[in-house]
Amino acid sequence: GEGGTKWCVIHEGRPIVWQTDLGTGDARPDSYRLTSAEDVPARDPRTWKLEGSLDGTNWTTLDEHRDEPVFENRHQTKSFEISKPGKFKYYRFTFTPKDTFFQVAEITTNIGIKFFQVNNRITYNLIRTMKRYISAPVGVKKLNISLLQTFIIQ
């Protein structure tokens, strides 16, 4: 990941879901990378699953990790092999944080699919927007981050 990036959110006990629509079902990543942010190791990704879907409704679990140790270093990138790779149009990560906050610097795959990478100014504005979303009525809420990425709070 890029050294100056970070995305952090107060999740209030809800899963954090990052989803991307590739527009076709031709992508078949076989590994992905997570990069830790610059502070507070307790906010690192520790429990998550990666899923794929052809229609955005029916999901197949491709990889799952539970209670991973925190990253040894800040801005460290860890690579993970996808245990059950496949070709899908949609991919999503669902993170289940233990801390009140969740943070990561970057999520990407071996074939260049980036789930996000933002600079600190954008992160600040995103956090303000997300606080408003989290305090909105319960339900599935979507916030478009870019044309290909959607952040979902459940």
Side-chain angles (χ1 to χ4, degrees), residues 2 5 7 16 22 25-26 29 34 41 44 51 53 55 87 96 98 101 108 131 136 138 143 153:
E2 187 177 313
T5 65
W7 186 82
I16 306 291
L22 302 180
D26 296 334
L34 304 177
D44 288 348
E51 298 170 291
S53 174
D55 60 10
K87 288 185 177 183
T96 309
K98 292 182 184 239
F101 292 87
T108 190
K131 283 182 181 176
V138 175
L143 172 66
I153 299 176

Side-chain angles (χ1 to χ4, degrees), residues 11-16 95-97 133-136 138 141 153-154:
H11 65 88
E12 298 184 345
R14 299 178 190 158
I16 306 291
F95 296 94
T96 309
Y133 251 67
I134 289 172
S135 64
V138 175
K141 303 161 213 154
I153 299 176
Q154 297 181 340

